[in-house]
PDB file of all heavy atoms in Angstrom:
ATOM      1  N   PHE A 329       2.629  -7.045  -5.218  1.00 88.00           N
ATOM      2  CA  PHE A 329       1.801  -8.203  -4.905  1.00 88.00           C
ATOM      3  C   PHE A 329       2.495  -9.547  -5.126  1.00 88.00           C
ATOM      4  O   PHE A 329       2.042 -10.567  -4.625  1.00 88.00           O
ATOM      5  CB  PHE A 329       0.472  -8.155  -5.679  1.00 88.00           C
ATOM      6  CG  PHE A 329       0.555  -8.504  -7.133  1.00 88.00           C
ATOM      7  CD1 PHE A 329       0.334  -9.814  -7.547  1.00 88.00           C
ATOM      8  CD2 PHE A 329       0.807  -7.544  -8.089  1.00 88.00           C
ATOM      9  CE1 PHE A 329       0.387 -10.147  -8.891  1.00 88.00           C
ATOM     10  CE2 PHE A 329       0.872  -7.864  -9.425  1.00 88.00           C
ATOM     11  CZ  PHE A 329       0.662  -9.166  -9.832  1.00 88.00           C
ATOM     12  N   THR A 330       3.616  -9.560  -5.834  1.00 88.00           N
ATOM     13  CA  THR A 330       4.321 -10.831  -6.023  1.00 88.00           C
ATOM     14  C   THR A 330       5.104 -11.244  -4.780  1.00 88.00           C
ATOM     15  O   THR A 330       5.529 -12.390  -4.676  1.00 88.00           O
ATOM     16  CB  THR A 330       5.282 -10.765  -7.221  1.00 88.00           C
ATOM     17  OG1 THR A 330       6.212  -9.691  -7.011  1.00 88.00           O
ATOM     18  CG2 THR A 330       4.526 -10.535  -8.517  1.00 88.00           C
ATOM     19  N   PHE A 331       5.309 -10.315  -3.845  1.00 89.00           N
ATOM     20  CA  PHE A 331       6.028 -10.704  -2.630  1.00 89.00           C
ATOM     21  C   PHE A 331       5.390 -10.188  -1.343  1.00 89.00           C
ATOM     22  O   PHE A 331       5.770 -10.601  -0.256  1.00 89.00           O
ATOM     23  CB  PHE A 331       7.497 -10.254  -2.681  1.00 89.00           C
ATOM     24  CG  PHE A 331       7.698  -8.773  -2.862  1.00 89.00           C
ATOM     25  CD1 PHE A 331       7.780  -7.933  -1.768  1.00 89.00           C
ATOM     26  CD2 PHE A 331       7.820  -8.235  -4.123  1.00 89.00           C
ATOM     27  CE1 PHE A 331       7.980  -6.573  -1.918  1.00 89.00           C
ATOM     28  CE2 PHE A 331       8.017  -6.868  -4.286  1.00 89.00           C
ATOM     29  CZ  PHE A 331       8.097  -6.036  -3.194  1.00 89.00           C
ATOM     30  N   THR A 332       4.391  -9.316  -1.444  1.00 94.00           N
ATOM     31  CA  THR A 332       3.773  -8.792  -0.231  1.00 94.00           C
ATOM     32  C   THR A 332       2.774  -9.804   0.332  1.00 94.00           C
ATOM     33  O   THR A 332       2.211 -10.613  -0.399  1.00 94.00           O
ATOM     34  CB  THR A 332       3.074  -7.462  -0.534  1.00 94.00           C
ATOM     35  OG1 THR A 332       2.707  -6.841   0.684  1.00 94.00           O
ATOM     36  CG2 THR A 332       1.830  -7.678  -1.370  1.00 94.00           C
ATOM     37  N   SER A 333       2.565  -9.776   1.650  1.00 97.00           N
ATOM     38  CA  SER A 333       1.669 -10.749   2.287  1.00 97.00           C
ATOM     39  C   SER A 333       0.297 -10.134   2.545  1.00 97.00           C
ATOM     40  O   SER A 333       0.165  -8.923   2.729  1.00 97.00           O
ATOM     41  CB  SER A 333       2.274 -11.251   3.602  1.00 97.00           C
ATOM     42  OG  SER A 333       2.476 -10.171   4.494  1.00 97.00           O
ATOM     43  N   ILE A 334      -0.723 -11.007   2.604  1.00 98.00           N
ATOM     44  CA  ILE A 334      -2.094 -10.506   2.749  1.00 98.00           C
ATOM     45  C   ILE A 334      -2.300  -9.847   4.113  1.00 98.00           C
ATOM     46  O   ILE A 334      -3.080  -8.912   4.238  1.00 98.00           O
ATOM     47  CB  ILE A 334      -3.112 -11.645   2.515  1.00 98.00           C
ATOM     48  CG1 ILE A 334      -4.527 -11.066   2.383  1.00 98.00           C
ATOM     49  CG2 ILE A 334      -3.047 -12.669   3.623  1.00 98.00           C
ATOM     50  CD1 ILE A 334      -4.714 -10.172   1.169  1.00 98.00           C
ATOM     51  N   GLY A 335      -1.582 -10.314   5.135  1.00 97.00           N
ATOM     52  CA  GLY A 335      -1.721  -9.671   6.443  1.00 97.00           C
ATOM     53  C   GLY A 335      -1.323  -8.213   6.400  1.00 97.00           C
ATOM     54  O   GLY A 335      -1.999  -7.353   6.972  1.00 97.00           O
ATOM     55  N   GLY A 336      -0.235  -7.927   5.687  1.00 96.00           N
ATOM     56  CA  GLY A 336       0.188  -6.536   5.540  1.00 96.00           C
ATOM     57  C   GLY A 336      -0.772  -5.748   4.675  1.00 96.00           C
ATOM     58  O   GLY A 336      -1.064  -4.578   4.953  1.00 96.00           O
ATOM     59  N   ASN A 337      -1.296  -6.388   3.628  1.00 97.00           N
ATOM     60  CA  ASN A 337      -2.291  -5.726   2.766  1.00 97.00           C
ATOM     61  C   ASN A 337      -3.517  -5.313   3.569  1.00 97.00           C
ATOM     62  O   ASN A 337      -4.038  -4.203   3.424  1.00 97.00           O
ATOM     63  CB  ASN A 337      -2.741  -6.658   1.644  1.00 97.00           C
ATOM     64  CG  ASN A 337      -1.689  -6.885   0.571  1.00 97.00           C
ATOM     65  OD1 ASN A 337      -1.941  -7.568  -0.402  1.00 97.00           O
ATOM     66  ND2 ASN A 337      -0.491  -6.343   0.743  1.00 97.00           N
ATOM     67  N   VAL A 338      -3.986  -6.236   4.432  1.00 98.00           N
ATOM     68  CA  VAL A 338      -5.157  -5.933   5.261  1.00 98.00           C
ATOM     69  C   VAL A 338      -4.813  -4.824   6.259  1.00 98.00           C
ATOM     70  O   VAL A 338      -5.584  -3.884   6.451  1.00 98.00           O
ATOM     71  CB  VAL A 338      -5.639  -7.201   5.992  1.00 98.00           C
ATOM     72  CG1 VAL A 338      -6.711  -6.847   7.023  1.00 98.00           C
ATOM     73  CG2 VAL A 338      -6.176  -8.220   4.995  1.00 98.00           C
ATOM     74  N   SER A 339      -3.651  -4.912   6.874  1.00 97.00           N
ATOM     75  CA  SER A 339      -3.286  -3.951   7.918  1.00 97.00           C
ATOM     76  C   SER A 339      -3.122  -2.533   7.385  1.00 97.00           C
ATOM     77  O   SER A 339      -3.301  -1.563   8.120  1.00 97.00           O
ATOM     78  CB  SER A 339      -1.986  -4.397   8.608  1.00 97.00           C
ATOM     79  OG  SER A 339      -2.218  -5.583   9.346  1.00 97.00           O
ATOM     80  N   THR A 340      -2.746  -2.392   6.119  1.00 96.00           N
ATOM     81  CA  THR A 340      -2.595  -1.047   5.547  1.00 96.00           C
ATOM     82  C   THR A 340      -3.734  -0.694   4.594  1.00 96.00           C
ATOM     83  O   THR A 340      -3.731   0.391   4.019  1.00 96.00           O
ATOM     84  CB  THR A 340      -1.268  -0.940   4.760  1.00 96.00           C
ATOM     85  OG1 THR A 340      -1.244  -1.936   3.738  1.00 96.00           O
ATOM     86  CG2 THR A 340      -0.078  -1.128   5.681  1.00 96.00           C
ATOM     87  N   ASP A 341      -4.709  -1.622   4.428  1.00 96.00           N
ATOM     88  CA  ASP A 341      -5.745  -1.438   3.395  1.00 96.00           C
ATOM     89  C   ASP A 341      -5.070  -1.101   2.070  1.00 96.00           C
ATOM     90  O   ASP A 341      -5.363  -0.079   1.435  1.00 96.00           O
ATOM     91  CB  ASP A 341      -6.739  -0.350   3.792  1.00 96.00           C
ATOM     92  CG  ASP A 341      -7.906  -0.258   2.813  1.00 96.00           C
ATOM     93  OD1 ASP A 341      -8.114  -1.196   2.014  1.00 96.00           O
ATOM     94  OD2 ASP A 341      -8.612   0.777   2.838  1.00 96.00           O
ATOM     95  N   ALA A 342      -4.179  -1.965   1.637  1.00 95.00           N
ATOM     96  CA  ALA A 342      -3.353  -1.699   0.458  1.00 95.00           C
ATOM     97  C   ALA A 342      -4.199  -1.475  -0.794  1.00 95.00           C
ATOM     98  O   ALA A 342      -5.248  -2.087  -0.985  1.00 95.00           O
ATOM     99  CB  ALA A 342      -2.398  -2.876   0.237  1.00 95.00           C
ATOM    100  N   GLY A 343      -3.700  -0.606  -1.658  1.00 90.00           N
ATOM    101  CA  GLY A 343      -4.373  -0.310  -2.922  1.00 90.00           C
ATOM    102  C   GLY A 343      -3.669  -0.983  -4.078  1.00 90.00           C
ATOM    103  O   GLY A 343      -3.197  -2.109  -3.964  1.00 90.00           O
ATOM    104  N   GLY A 344      -3.581  -0.280  -5.201  1.00 86.00           N
ATOM    105  CA  GLY A 344      -2.951  -0.847  -6.380  1.00 86.00           C
ATOM    106  C   GLY A 344      -3.536  -0.269  -7.645  1.00 86.00           C
ATOM    107  O   GLY A 344      -4.343   0.664  -7.619  1.00 86.00           O
ATOM    108  N   LEU A 345      -3.131  -0.827  -8.766  1.00 87.00           N
ATOM    109  CA  LEU A 345      -3.521  -0.281 -10.060  1.00 87.00           C
ATOM    110  C   LEU A 345      -5.014  -0.410 -10.321  1.00 87.00           C
ATOM    111  O   LEU A 345      -5.624   0.457 -10.936  1.00 87.00           O
ATOM    112  CB  LEU A 345      -2.744  -0.973 -11.178  1.00 87.00           C
ATOM    113  CG  LEU A 345      -1.314  -0.484 -11.445  1.00 87.00           C
ATOM    114  CD1 LEU A 345      -0.388  -0.690 -10.257  1.00 87.00           C
ATOM    115  CD2 LEU A 345      -0.734  -1.157 -12.676  1.00 87.00           C
ATOM    116  N   GLN A 346      -5.626  -1.504  -9.896  1.00 89.00           N
ATOM    117  CA  GLN A 346      -7.010  -1.772 -10.271  1.00 89.00           C
ATOM    118  C   GLN A 346      -8.035  -1.179  -9.310  1.00 89.00           C
ATOM    119  O   GLN A 346      -9.232  -1.449  -9.443  1.00 89.00           O
ATOM    120  CB  GLN A 346      -7.219  -3.283 -10.407  1.00 89.00           C
ATOM    121  CG  GLN A 346      -6.417  -3.878 -11.574  1.00 89.00           C
ATOM    122  CD  GLN A 346      -6.718  -5.335 -11.836  1.00 89.00           C
ATOM    123  OE1 GLN A 346      -6.741  -6.127 -10.915  1.00 89.00           O
ATOM    124  NE2 GLN A 346      -6.926  -5.686 -13.089  1.00 89.00           N
ATOM    125  N   CYS A 347      -7.586  -0.347  -8.378  1.00 90.00           N
ATOM    126  CA  CYS A 347      -8.511   0.251  -7.417  1.00 90.00           C
ATOM    127  C   CYS A 347      -9.547   1.144  -8.083  1.00 90.00           C
ATOM    128  O   CYS A 347     -10.646   1.321  -7.570  1.00 90.00           O
ATOM    129  CB  CYS A 347      -7.744   1.077  -6.390  1.00 90.00           C
ATOM    130  SG  CYS A 347      -6.750   0.092  -5.271  1.00 90.00           S
ATOM    131  N   VAL A 348      -9.185   1.723  -9.210  1.00 90.00           N
ATOM    132  CA  VAL A 348     -10.103   2.665  -9.855  1.00 90.00           C
ATOM    133  C   VAL A 348     -11.450   2.002 -10.152  1.00 90.00           C
ATOM    134  O   VAL A 348     -12.503   2.639 -10.055  1.00 90.00           O
ATOM    135  CB  VAL A 348      -9.459   3.240 -11.140  1.00 90.00           C
ATOM    136  CG1 VAL A 348      -9.125   2.147 -12.129  1.00 90.00           C
ATOM    137  CG2 VAL A 348     -10.383   4.256 -11.784  1.00 90.00           C
ATOM    138  N   LYS A 349     -11.462   0.720 -10.465  1.00 94.00           N
ATOM    139  CA  LYS A 349     -12.721   0.026 -10.733  1.00 94.00           C
ATOM    140  C   LYS A 349     -13.122  -0.881  -9.580  1.00 94.00           C
ATOM    141  O   LYS A 349     -14.305  -0.998  -9.250  1.00 94.00           O
ATOM    142  CB  LYS A 349     -12.599  -0.811 -12.017  1.00 94.00           C
ATOM    143  CG  LYS A 349     -13.883  -1.577 -12.372  1.00 94.00           C
ATOM    144  CD  LYS A 349     -13.757  -2.282 -13.719  1.00 94.00           C
ATOM    145  CE  LYS A 349     -15.049  -3.005 -14.092  1.00 94.00           C
ATOM    146  NZ  LYS A 349     -14.954  -3.666 -15.413  1.00 94.00           N
ATOM    147  N   TYR A 350     -12.141  -1.531  -8.940  1.00 95.00           N
ATOM    148  CA  TYR A 350     -12.472  -2.600  -7.998  1.00 95.00           C
ATOM    149  C   TYR A 350     -12.297  -2.226  -6.529  1.00 95.00           C
ATOM    150  O   TYR A 350     -12.698  -2.979  -5.653  1.00 95.00           O
ATOM    151  CB  TYR A 350     -11.629  -3.835  -8.325  1.00 95.00           C
ATOM    152  CG  TYR A 350     -11.964  -4.451  -9.658  1.00 95.00           C
ATOM    153  CD1 TYR A 350     -11.099  -4.361 -10.741  1.00 95.00           C
ATOM    154  CD2 TYR A 350     -13.179  -5.108  -9.842  1.00 95.00           C
ATOM    155  CE1 TYR A 350     -11.403  -4.928 -11.961  1.00 95.00           C
ATOM    156  CE2 TYR A 350     -13.502  -5.680 -11.063  1.00 95.00           C
ATOM    157  CZ  TYR A 350     -12.608  -5.585 -12.120  1.00 95.00           C
ATOM    158  OH  TYR A 350     -12.932  -6.140 -13.337  1.00 95.00           O
ATOM    159  N   GLY A 351     -11.667  -1.102  -6.229  1.00 94.00           N
ATOM    160  CA  GLY A 351     -11.507  -0.707  -4.842  1.00 94.00           C
ATOM    161  C   GLY A 351     -10.273  -1.300  -4.191  1.00 94.00           C
ATOM    162  O   GLY A 351      -9.545  -2.092  -4.779  1.00 94.00           O
ATOM    163  N   THR A 352     -10.041  -0.884  -2.923  1.00 96.00           N
ATOM    164  CA  THR A 352      -8.847  -1.316  -2.199  1.00 96.00           C
ATOM    165  C   THR A 352      -9.128  -2.624  -1.452  1.00 96.00           C
ATOM    166  O   THR A 352     -10.222  -3.186  -1.526  1.00 96.00           O
ATOM    167  CB  THR A 352      -8.396  -0.229  -1.209  1.00 96.00           C
ATOM    168  OG1 THR A 352      -9.470   0.013  -0.286  1.00 96.00           O
ATOM    169  CG2 THR A 352      -8.060   1.059  -1.934  1.00 96.00           C
ATOM    170  N   THR A 353      -8.145  -3.080  -0.693  1.00 97.00           N
ATOM    171  CA  THR A 353      -8.249  -4.367  -0.003  1.00 97.00           C
ATOM    172  C   THR A 353      -9.505  -4.461   0.854  1.00 97.00           C
ATOM    173  O   THR A 353     -10.157  -5.523   0.906  1.00 97.00           O
ATOM    174  CB  THR A 353      -6.994  -4.570   0.872  1.00 97.00           C
ATOM    175  OG1 THR A 353      -5.837  -4.595   0.029  1.00 97.00           O
ATOM    176  CG2 THR A 353      -7.077  -5.884   1.639  1.00 97.00           C
ATOM    177  N   LYS A 354      -9.878  -3.373   1.535  1.00 97.00           N
ATOM    178  CA  LYS A 354     -11.004  -3.443   2.462  1.00 97.00           C
ATOM    179  C   LYS A 354     -12.306  -3.851   1.777  1.00 97.00           C
ATOM    180  O   LYS A 354     -13.200  -4.409   2.426  1.00 97.00           O
ATOM    181  CB  LYS A 354     -11.196  -2.089   3.161  1.00 97.00           C
ATOM    182  CG  LYS A 354     -11.683  -0.971   2.254  1.00 97.00           C
ATOM    183  CD  LYS A 354     -11.815   0.337   3.030  1.00 97.00           C
ATOM    184  CE  LYS A 354     -12.286   1.468   2.127  1.00 97.00           C
ATOM    185  NZ  LYS A 354     -12.311   2.766   2.835  1.00 97.00           N
ATOM    186  N   SER A 355     -12.401  -3.602   0.478  1.00 96.00           N
ATOM    187  CA  SER A 355     -13.626  -3.964  -0.258  1.00 96.00           C
ATOM    188  C   SER A 355     -13.775  -5.470  -0.381  1.00 96.00           C
ATOM    189  O   SER A 355     -14.836  -5.954  -0.769  1.00 96.00           O
ATOM    190  CB  SER A 355     -13.602  -3.327  -1.651  1.00 96.00           C
ATOM    191  OG  SER A 355     -13.514  -1.918  -1.563  1.00 96.00           O
ATOM    192  N   TYR A 356     -12.722  -6.222  -0.081  1.00 98.00           N
ATOM    193  CA  TYR A 356     -12.743  -7.677  -0.275  1.00 98.00           C
ATOM    194  C   TYR A 356     -12.515  -8.451   1.013  1.00 98.00           C
ATOM    195  O   TYR A 356     -12.409  -9.682   0.982  1.00 98.00           O
ATOM    196  CB  TYR A 356     -11.708  -8.060  -1.350  1.00 98.00           C
ATOM    197  CG  TYR A 356     -12.076  -7.425  -2.662  1.00 98.00           C
ATOM    198  CD1 TYR A 356     -11.620  -6.149  -2.961  1.00 98.00           C
ATOM    199  CD2 TYR A 356     -12.953  -8.034  -3.536  1.00 98.00           C
ATOM    200  CE1 TYR A 356     -12.015  -5.511  -4.126  1.00 98.00           C
ATOM    201  CE2 TYR A 356     -13.359  -7.413  -4.691  1.00 98.00           C
ATOM    202  CZ  TYR A 356     -12.890  -6.150  -4.980  1.00 98.00           C
ATOM    203  OH  TYR A 356     -13.313  -5.520  -6.131  1.00 98.00           O
ATOM    204  N   VAL A 357     -12.424  -7.758   2.141  1.00 98.00           N
ATOM    205  CA  VAL A 357     -12.245  -8.446   3.421  1.00 98.00           C
ATOM    206  C   VAL A 357     -13.619  -8.611   4.072  1.00 98.00           C
ATOM    207  O   VAL A 357     -14.247  -7.643   4.475  1.00 98.00           O
ATOM    208  CB  VAL A 357     -11.320  -7.645   4.362  1.00 98.00           C
ATOM    209  CG1 VAL A 357     -11.134  -8.399   5.683  1.00 98.00           C
ATOM    210  CG2 VAL A 357      -9.970  -7.407   3.696  1.00 98.00           C
ATOM    211  N   SER A 358     -14.094  -9.848   4.166  1.00 97.00           N
ATOM    212  CA  SER A 358     -15.418 -10.078   4.758  1.00 97.00           C
ATOM    213  C   SER A 358     -15.327 -10.681   6.153  1.00 97.00           C
ATOM    214  O   SER A 358     -16.344 -10.796   6.836  1.00 97.00           O
ATOM    215  CB  SER A 358     -16.256 -10.990   3.855  1.00 97.00           C
ATOM    216  OG  SER A 358     -15.693 -12.282   3.766  1.00 97.00           O
ATOM    217  N   GLY A 359     -14.128 -11.084   6.565  1.00 98.00           N
ATOM    218  CA  GLY A 359     -13.980 -11.624   7.916  1.00 98.00           C
ATOM    219  C   GLY A 359     -12.521 -11.704   8.299  1.00 98.00           C
ATOM    220  O   GLY A 359     -11.641 -11.758   7.435  1.00 98.00           O
ATOM    221  N   LEU A 360     -12.256 -11.686   9.605  1.00 98.00           N
ATOM    222  CA  LEU A 360     -10.881 -11.747  10.095  1.00 98.00           C
ATOM    223  C   LEU A 360     -10.786 -12.621  11.340  1.00 98.00           C
ATOM    224  O   LEU A 360     -11.747 -12.720  12.115  1.00 98.00           O
ATOM    225  CB  LEU A 360     -10.374 -10.342  10.469  1.00 98.00           C
ATOM    226  CG  LEU A 360     -10.165  -9.330   9.349  1.00 98.00           C
ATOM    227  CD1 LEU A 360      -9.819  -7.967   9.959  1.00 98.00           C
ATOM    228  CD2 LEU A 360      -9.080  -9.778   8.381  1.00 98.00           C
ATOM    229  N   GLU A 361      -9.642 -13.244  11.495  1.00 98.00           N
ATOM    230  CA  GLU A 361      -9.256 -13.820  12.779  1.00 98.00           C
ATOM    231  C   GLU A 361      -8.206 -12.876  13.356  1.00 98.00           C
ATOM    232  O   GLU A 361      -7.216 -12.563  12.677  1.00 98.00           O
ATOM    233  CB  GLU A 361      -8.675 -15.215  12.594  1.00 98.00           C
ATOM    234  CG  GLU A 361      -8.224 -15.856  13.909  1.00 98.00           C
ATOM    235  CD  GLU A 361      -7.586 -17.219  13.671  1.00 98.00           C
ATOM    236  OE1 GLU A 361      -6.405 -17.249  13.253  1.00 98.00           O
ATOM    237  OE2 GLU A 361      -8.254 -18.235  13.883  1.00 98.00           O
ATOM    238  N   VAL A 362      -8.409 -12.423  14.586  1.00 98.00           N
ATOM    239  CA  VAL A 362      -7.531 -11.416  15.187  1.00 98.00           C
ATOM    240  C   VAL A 362      -7.155 -11.834  16.607  1.00 98.00           C
ATOM    241  O   VAL A 362      -8.018 -12.273  17.381  1.00 98.00           O
ATOM    242  CB  VAL A 362      -8.222 -10.034  15.230  1.00 98.00           C
ATOM    243  CG1 VAL A 362      -7.301  -8.993  15.882  1.00 98.00           C
ATOM    244  CG2 VAL A 362      -8.629  -9.577  13.840  1.00 98.00           C
ATOM    245  N   VAL A 363      -5.893 -11.711  16.930  1.00 98.00           N
ATOM    246  CA  VAL A 363      -5.444 -11.866  18.314  1.00 98.00           C
ATOM    247  C   VAL A 363      -5.419 -10.480  18.944  1.00 98.00           C
ATOM    248  O   VAL A 363      -4.686  -9.591  18.486  1.00 98.00           O
ATOM    249  CB  VAL A 363      -4.048 -12.506  18.380  1.00 98.00           C
ATOM    250  CG1 VAL A 363      -3.554 -12.550  19.828  1.00 98.00           C
ATOM    251  CG2 VAL A 363      -4.079 -13.916  17.790  1.00 98.00           C
ATOM    252  N   LEU A 364      -6.250 -10.297  19.970  1.00 98.00           N
ATOM    253  CA  LEU A 364      -6.306  -9.005  20.641  1.00 98.00           C
ATOM    254  C   LEU A 364      -5.059  -8.793  21.505  1.00 98.00           C
ATOM    255  O   LEU A 364      -4.355  -9.749  21.831  1.00 98.00           O
ATOM    256  CB  LEU A 364      -7.564  -8.933  21.506  1.00 98.00           C
ATOM    257  CG  LEU A 364      -8.894  -9.010  20.754  1.00 98.00           C
ATOM    258  CD1 LEU A 364     -10.057  -9.025  21.748  1.00 98.00           C
ATOM    259  CD2 LEU A 364      -9.038  -7.857  19.780  1.00 98.00           C
ATOM    260  N   PRO A 365      -4.788  -7.554  21.903  1.00 98.00           N
ATOM    261  CA  PRO A 365      -3.584  -7.286  22.694  1.00 98.00           C
ATOM    262  C   PRO A 365      -3.515  -8.042  24.015  1.00 98.00           C
ATOM    263  O   PRO A 365      -2.433  -8.184  24.578  1.00 98.00           O
ATOM    264  CB  PRO A 365      -3.658  -5.766  22.920  1.00 98.00           C
ATOM    265  CG  PRO A 365      -4.391  -5.262  21.725  1.00 98.00           C
ATOM    266  CD  PRO A 365      -5.434  -6.306  21.442  1.00 98.00           C
ATOM    267  N   ASN A 366      -4.653  -8.527  24.526  1.00 98.00           N
ATOM    268  CA  ASN A 366      -4.598  -9.329  25.759  1.00 98.00           C
ATOM    269  C   ASN A 366      -4.432 -10.820  25.473  1.00 98.00           C
ATOM    270  O   ASN A 366      -4.455 -11.648  26.392  1.00 98.00           O
ATOM    271  CB  ASN A 366      -5.848  -9.103  26.603  1.00 98.00           C
ATOM    272  CG  ASN A 366      -7.120  -9.554  25.893  1.00 98.00           C
ATOM    273  OD1 ASN A 366      -7.059 -10.122  24.796  1.00 98.00           O
ATOM    274  ND2 ASN A 366      -8.261  -9.312  26.514  1.00 98.00           N
TER     275      ASN A 366
END
Side-chain angles (χ1 to χ4, degrees):
F329 76 93
T330 58
F331 58 90
T332 191
S333 60
I334 192 64
N337 288 183
V338 171
S339 292
T340 58
D341 187 16
L345 279 63
Q346 294 187 312
C347 291
V348 60
K349 180 175 182 179
Y350 294 109
T352 59
T353 298
K354 69 181 179 185
S355 301
Y356 298 88
V357 181
S358 65
L360 292 174
E361 179 183 78
V362 179
V363 175
L364 297 176
N366 63 5

